[in-house]
Amino acid sequence: MDTTAQQDQHHRTAHAGRRGVRLFLAAGAAAFTLTAGLATPLNPAPQQAEAKADGGKKTLTVAVAQSVDSLSPFLAQRLLSTSILRLTNEFLTNYDPKDNHVVPGFATKWESSSDKLTWTYTIRSNSKWSDGQKATAKDAAFTFNKMMTDEGAATANGSFVSNFKKVTAPSDTQLVVELKTPQATMTALDIPIVPEHIWKDVKDYAKFNNDETFPIVGNGPFVLTEYKTDQYVKLKVNKDFWRKSKTPQFDEIVFKTYKDQDAAVAALRKGEVSFVAGSPALTPAQAASLKGEKNIKVNEGPGRRFYAIAVNPGWQTKDGKKFGDGNKALLDQKVRQALFRAVDTKTIVDKVFQGHAVQGEGYIPPRFSEYFWKPSDSQKLTYDATAAGKMLDEAGYPLKDGKRVGKDGKPLDLRMLCHATDPNDKAVGKYLKEWWGKIGVGLKLNCVDDVSVPWYAGEYDLAFDGWSVNPDPDFVLGIHTCAALPTKARETAATDNGICDKTYDELYDKQLAEYDTAKRAGYVKQMESWLYDSGYMNVMAYPNAVEAYRTDQIKSIQTMPTAAGNIYGQDGYWSWWSAEPASASSSDSDSSGPSTGIVIGIVVAALVVIGGGVFFAMRRRTTADDRE
């Protein structure tokens, strides 16, 4: 429905992703304002006033194109929300910013039994909650057990613990997880750990958004101090955080909501913000307009997300109760495949993304080479309007007076959900109207601010979808299993698109239990092949990460991965943790020079090969940059 992860994914969420839930999470627009007398601002009066009022406090303002869906680690699914939680709460493990390999987080080490059914984690002894209490293995055990026993607490990340049999904390530094069957994601449990002494008193985990008392208690590198719905989220540096090798150079981070992406770009030009990523990326026109401007750099690298069409498969609850009003014609696989044969993905990459994307094929982007899959020549649904028309004829939808009609005599007219704030959706939608119109299929775009409402009600025919993906495929694959379906109709759920199929589920279970990377990749690719053939998902493109920042305000900031990666929407806290302000003397430097820690310029063709042992998370988009 961007996905991201952590997705990324409607990012609705998007993934992770990524919907006001896990459905549409794509990478959000981002920007920051350096205030405390760092570089000479273009609007000096307000910035100097803020610095003075704050007593010289350094504030980094990040402009985002989406709002928070929840501040609860058990409910948050939008990319913005999950990105904030990575700053405020530790996970058992983290990912190295250089190449995404797994590194210690709340756990310093881990080991499994010979049968892979028992995992023992050593929890660090030097972590404490921001209210001063010690953070222990008991907090991790409480977090996992709550998700295992409370359906509301399992809303966002329940798939990670569905295979858990028992979780205990024999001591403050030892966490033991017993599994029902082997689980290959035990070093990729992207679950924020919460303090038991705070969360044990919550009455209803399905409704508690954690936005009533501030500051919010956490044990991450930052502490959430203030929040106003659809306006901003404020965080301050946690001076008691265990990682002392480097400390952030900004005292405060403010995530400020921008509903208009062009306004965020304009703010970058004026020097009011320091970084902008778009929703989920800068449009080609925006990126082109910024290239060459003094003190502005454009960073582009292979993207973490896919951009797709999702088909309503006929929504149902876990117990099989059907709901929604999707067009019955789409229950026919041949109709779905016919529609996709009439989509020219090359034109979408060339004309809409103007080359800032890779043509879509399998479900997982080529950035993650181990799991990347593409259809064989005989399997591929290449663009062919004539062939698409013949498939519709065979499916029982003949062409009469220029329109496809069913046995009931009604024309084949479809509704498509799109994100009102995403220019890509609207641009691609115009092409789809033209292409499908040529084969006699009508299309009406329904562009809304929050696609999660009609999406979870099953009240659509097709929708623009996308998730931000991280290196381990389990989460993004798990959102298409029967277990991810909603318990009740029209409620949020872990599912991406309401798909439920026995064959797919069997493959999912096999990949989850397989520790051999090559064998697991084989199962994953079989799942991607099934998704492709099913016609439920059509991946049109893998958009590049396109971002811009001011070199007179940012001296350096960590990309992930370092060689050619993204700045916003990382699987970790490295970008905000590492950000260094530009000195006053460098504010007039040539904008074409290199900047430490950043990949500069346009990297269109580069693909990052990421080795085994890394994992992914994704989130989805709710507005343009949700659901991922």
Side-chain angles (χ1 to χ4, degrees), residues 167-393:
V167 181
T168 58
S171 71
D172 285 354
T173 57
Q174 188 178 57
L175 176 72
V176 180
V177 179
E178 297 178 35
L179 303 172
K180 300 172 186 175
T181 59
Q183 181 170 327
T185 61
M186 295 306 288
T187 55
L189 300 174
D190 289 321
I191 301 171
I193 305 302
V194 303
E196 179 179 9
H197 66 282
I198 299 294
W199 284 85
K200 64 181 177 60
D201 296 325
V202 172
K203 303 300 182 184
D204 189 343
Y205 281 78
K207 296 181 179 179
F208 181 67
N209 283 312
N210 198 28
D211 56 3
E212 299 173 357
T213 303
F214 299 93
I216 293 176
V217 178
N219 65 337
F222 297 87
V223 179
L224 203 160
T225 59
E226 189 177 346
Y227 165 65
K228 284 197 174 182
T229 304
D230 295 331
Q231 295 184 45
Y232 62 80
V233 181
K234 290 185 178 181
L235 302 94
K236 68 176 182 180
V237 172
N238 181 2
K239 298 186 181 300
D240 293 325
F241 186 56
W242 63 267
R243 189 183 293 275
K244 302 297 183 183
S245 59
K246 177 181 176 61
T247 56
Q249 296 191 23
F250 293 93
D251 304 300
E252 183 179 65
I253 300 177
V254 178
F255 291 90
K256 184 178 180 181
T257 300
Y258 274 67
K259 290 298 184 182
D260 187 323
Q261 183 171 309
D262 285 334
V265 173
L268 181 75
R269 282 197 174 89
K270 296 176 183 178
E272 297 172 351
V273 300
S274 297
F275 176 92
V276 61
S279 58
L282 294 178
T283 66
Q286 290 169 339
S289 70
L290 291 172
K291 284 192 66 179
E293 288 208 13
K294 184 177 181 181
N295 298 323
I296 290 181
K297 289 284 187 183
V298 175
N299 175 63
E300 178 167 2
R304 298 173 48 220
R305 64 181 293 267
F306 62 78
Y307 181 69
I309 296 172
V311 177
N312 185 336
W315 278 68
Q316 60 181 312
T317 59
K318 287 182 179 178
D319 61 4
K321 181 181 179 181
K322 299 185 183 300
F323 64 96
D325 63 359
N327 194 306
K328 297 297 189 294
L330 296 177
L331 298 179
D332 188 331
Q333 179 185 20
K334 184 162 287 187
V335 172
R336 300 192 297 266
Q337 290 182 336
L339 291 175
F340 293 164
R341 289 219 68 172
V343 176
D344 185 353
T345 56
K346 186 178 187 303
T347 292
I348 289 173
V349 169
D350 292 344
K351 301 297 184 181
V352 177
F353 291 99
Q354 295 181 28
H356 299 281
V358 176
Q359 198 168 343
E361 292 181 295
Y363 188 59
I364 296 173
R367 172 166 164 172
F368 308 107
S369 59
E370 270 187 305
Y371 299 107
F372 175 63
W373 169 90
K374 60 172 63 178
S376 63
D377 290 342
S378 60
Q379 180 183 19
K380 191 170 185 179
L381 298 171
T382 53
Y383 176 62
D384 188 332
T386 300
K390 289 181 179 178
M391 293 176 74
L392 290 174
D393 286 336

Side-chain angles (χ1 to χ4, degrees), residues 430-464:
K430 290 181 180 179
Y431 279 108
L432 294 179
K433 280 186 176 182
E434 176 186 343
W435 293 330
W436 289 345
K438 289 180 179 179
I439 61 173
V441 178
L443 181 67
K444 179 181 180 181
L445 292 180
N446 179 24
C447 298
V448 295
D449 289 331
D450 185 357
V451 299
S452 64
V453 176
W455 195 301
Y456 280 119
E459 295 173 351
Y460 66 100
D461 300 324
L462 305 133
F464 288 105

